[in-house]
Amino acid sequence: MEGWLTKQGGRVRSWKKRWFSIKGAQLVYFKYPSDSEPQGAINLATPDGSYQCEVRYIPADEEPKKKYCFEISSNNDKQRTYYCHAASSKEAEKWVDALNRIVYATRGGGMFGTELSRQLLREGRKNGAVPYVIEACVKRIKQDGLDVVGIFRLPGSHAEVKELKQAFSQARLPPIHEADVHSVASLLKEYLRQLPEPLLTYGLYDSFMDITQDMKQHNGSKDVELLKPLVKSLPYNNFTVLKYLCEFLEEVAAHSAVNKMSLVNIATVFAPNFCTTKDTSAEALIRHTPLVHSLTMAFIRHHVELFSEPPPLDDVVLKREETELMFDEFDGDEDTRGSRGDSVLGVGETEGEMKALDVNMDQVVLTGMQGPIRRVQQDLISTKKENALLKQQLEQVQVDVNFHQHTYEKEKQLRLQTEHKLKVLVSHMQALNIALPNIDTDFGVESDDEDE
């Protein structure tokens, strides 16, 4: 990925517009796209596969108080922090997704936009498994979303989807059980939409369209017969994920009386996520959209027959992930001459020359500390939130204790009253010489012994 970003980083406060490009395991930037020599290079991962960076969005109300801003903080010996400002929210998300795929790959993260087989390999999942993000979303919707009106049709909160996506991408435990089910459903669609290749693959697209055309001529009577041979030619992992999703979507459709999501509605939503073509022309879209919709309905309706025989395990040959470092890490913007020196002062520069260039040394040093200071501030904010939550939980526990204590006292008083009435009744019955077998008048002690 490459494009324009406005950067502030290292030990320089000023913002500079640079042409950025991801090369291997580095984020490299140039003054102009046509330049052959970079202005700087930021290491995202080391050749041994370990990570040395963290990536996060910066809220618009947090310093540097810019929209569409994200932070790259390194954990190496230089402890540099870089802030990048994109032209739009969409551009910022594209950059963060691309960076996550490199920075968090070794921890099983960065799955959005990663090949299906590669992600399963990263997660160490066995044959027949699906990526964790799919499994987590499906389980959450099965638990709380099957009867929610418009599930998959109504969008979730963009901010919440973005938060969940970033947590999954960074291999953190996402708050998926606290999220709105519409946001979880949107996240699942987002993952499928960002796969580099659709589940039915680009290579088999034309074959599926031809078969779907034949299916329409037979009015659906030969759907399974026509589709099954082609389904068995799918890659093993694609077959497994499709089977898992179709079983789940049939369950969603079974609740259509409540959630208003019939098989037709579900197919409308998922057809573009199952089957797409590289041909984005209006003509292809108009011609193939009804066919893709019919194909998706057939997959969900006949999933038991279509997925009864899995294809053989294919030997997936994955392109080696690039972790080489093409350049030594440096920040040419730290030196007004564009040199690679680690010092703010270039070779031969004097403090007087720096002053003449309006560079404030105190400001430069302070800027270099922004990253560590910001991380400490974030830790303090997180600690305060955790303390407030613990305090709230403690107060609730105290309320519960008081309630149970009050209930106990009421029940104790009621028992005493009942025992008194029973003793009076027993004494009256004894006065009338009425035998009272198996009644223990010692109410303070339970006994199984019969009265003699």
Side-chain angles (χ1 to χ4, degrees):
M1 181 171 179
E2 57 185 11
W4 289 105
L5 289 171
T6 306
K7 159 190 167 291
Q8 180 198 68
R11 293 184 286 272
V12 177
R13 177 178 288 274
S14 60
W15 289 85
K16 297 181 182 293
K17 191 173 183 179
R18 295 287 182 257
W19 179 262
F20 280 80
S21 177
I22 295 178
K23 294 185 180 295
Q26 287 183 308
L27 181 62
V28 182
Y29 57 90
F30 305 81
K31 191 170 184 179
Y32 301 107
S34 58
D35 289 351
S36 58
E37 286 294 320
Q39 290 282 107
I42 304 170
N43 292 348
L44 302 175
T46 53
D48 62 0
S50 62
Y51 68 94
Q52 60 176 18
C53 280
E54 297 290 341
V55 181
R56 76 175 186 97
Y57 291 102
I58 300 179
D61 59 348
E62 183 181 323
E63 290 293 339
K65 293 187 177 179
K66 284 182 175 288
K67 287 184 176 180
Y68 324 131
C69 196
F70 58 91
E71 172 189 272
I72 306 170
S73 55
S74 63
N75 296 326
N76 59 12
D77 54 348
K78 294 182 180 179
Q79 290 288 315
R80 284 175 173 161
T81 298
Y82 302 88
Y83 310 108
C84 295
H85 169 235
S88 66
S89 175
K90 187 176 181 180
E91 283 297 308
E93 287 187 27
K94 285 183 178 179
W95 275 107
V96 171
D97 284 347
L99 293 170
N100 285 340
R101 286 195 288 272
I102 299 172
V103 174
Y104 300 99
T106 56
R107 289 183 279 178
M111 66 282 294
F112 288 86
T114 296
E115 299 162 89
L116 184 60
S117 296
R118 188 182 300 280
Q119 184 57 33
L120 289 166
L121 185 64
R122 287 178 181 177
E123 295 179 11
R125 299 226 150 191
K126 297 181 180 179
N127 296 331
V130 299
Y132 174 66
V133 62
I134 294 180
E135 181 181 343
C137 290
V138 167
K139 284 184 176 179
R140 173 73 167 91
I141 296 168
K142 279 186 175 182
Q143 180 180 348
D144 299 309
L146 292 178
D147 291 331
V148 173
V149 176
I151 189 67
F152 289 116
R153 180 172 55 83
L154 297 178
S157 161
H158 177 73
E160 191 169 41
V161 174
K162 185 176 176 181
E163 179 184 352
L164 290 171
K165 180 180 177 181
Q166 188 67 353
F168 273 107
S169 295
Q170 295 182 344
R172 294 186 283 111
L173 187 63
I176 196 165
H177 294 289
E178 302 171 6
D180 181 73
V181 287
H182 288 299
S183 297
V184 176
S186 295
L187 181 71
L188 176 58
K189 293 187 294 181
E190 176 80 3
Y191 173 76
L192 296 174
R193 186 164 50 247
Q194 285 195 229
L195 285 173
E197 187 174 42
L199 292 174
L200 295 182
T201 74
Y202 290 127
L204 294 175
Y205 180 83
D206 290 336
S207 299
F208 273 115
M209 292 300 98
D210 293 341
I211 284 182
T212 307
Q213 192 68 52
D214 293 341
M215 287 162 48
K216 293 186 71 174
Q217 294 177 0
H218 291 87
N219 296 320
S221 61
K222 294 188 176 182
D223 286 3
V224 176
E225 180 183 342
L226 293 170
L227 273 176
K228 194 164 185 177
L230 195 55
V231 171
K232 288 187 67 175
S233 65
L234 284 168
Y236 182 84
N237 290 324
N238 295 51
F239 178 95
T240 301
V241 171
L242 272 169
K243 177 182 179 182
Y244 184 85
L245 289 174
C246 289
E247 289 174 354
F248 163 62
L249 293 177
E250 186 192 44
E251 189 174 353
V252 175
H255 291 249
S256 61
V258 180
N259 61 34
K260 310 302 180 186
M261 290 299 291
S262 64
L263 182 59
V264 174
N265 293 337
I266 292 173
T268 301
V269 172
F270 276 88
N273 298 319
F274 279 12
C275 188
T276 55
T277 176
K278 291 181 179 180
D279 184 359
T280 57
S281 65
E283 180 185 355
L285 183 66
I286 294 172
R287 184 173 67 254
H288 289 161
T289 295
L291 295 177
V292 174
H293 184 268
S294 298
L295 178 63
T296 305
M297 287 185 62
F299 268 110
I300 299 172
R301 181 183 289 121
H302 303 297
H303 70 87
V304 175
E305 299 92 338
L306 290 175
F307 298 104
S308 60
E309 299 177 31
L313 280 170
D314 42 7
D315 296 326
V316 180
V317 179
L318 296 173
K319 181 182 177 182
R320 184 174 179 272
E321 295 192 73
E322 298 181 8
T323 56
E324 291 80 7
L325 304 180
M326 301 175 64
F327 307 95
D328 292 334
E329 185 173 26
F330 72 101
D331 185 4
D333 289 334
E334 289 184 356
D335 179 7
T336 55
R337 296 180 180 181
S339 70
R340 298 191 182 188
D342 287 333
S343 171
V344 175
L345 293 178
V347 177
E349 272 181 345
T350 66
E351 291 190 21
E353 289 173 329
M354 291 293 286
K355 185 175 182 180
L357 291 169
D358 296 326
V359 178
N360 186 311
M361 294 301 296
D362 291 336
Q363 189 180 73
V364 168
V365 173
L366 179 60
T367 306
M369 292 298 293
Q370 281 185 358
I373 290 173
R374 186 169 294 171
R375 286 192 287 274
V376 171
Q377 289 174 338
Q378 292 168 6
D379 291 341
L380 288 173
I381 292 172
S382 298
T383 302
K384 287 181 179 179
K385 288 181 178 179
E386 290 174 0
N387 288 340
L389 180 61
L390 288 172
K391 183 179 179 181
Q392 183 180 1
Q393 292 174 343
L394 183 60
E395 291 174 352
Q396 183 61 46
V397 169
Q398 187 60 49
V399 170
D400 292 342
V401 169
N402 292 339
F403 172 77
H404 290 302
Q405 182 68 29
H406 178 68
T407 303
Y408 171 76
E409 293 295 336
K410 286 181 64 178
E411 291 180 349
K412 181 179 178 181
Q413 186 65 30
L414 181 61
R415 180 185 175 187
L416 292 174
Q417 292 175 358
T418 303
E419 288 179 354
H420 175 71
K421 291 179 180 179
L422 188 55
K423 285 181 179 180
V424 172
L425 178 60
V426 168
S427 62
H428 287 171
M429 294 180 71
Q430 288 176 340
L432 295 173
N433 294 323
I434 298 176
L436 301 173
N438 300 325
I439 294 182
D440 183 7
T441 57
D442 184 3
F443 300 103
V445 180
E446 295 182 358
S447 174
D448 294 328
D449 297 333
E450 295 183 356
D451 290 341
E452 294 181 359

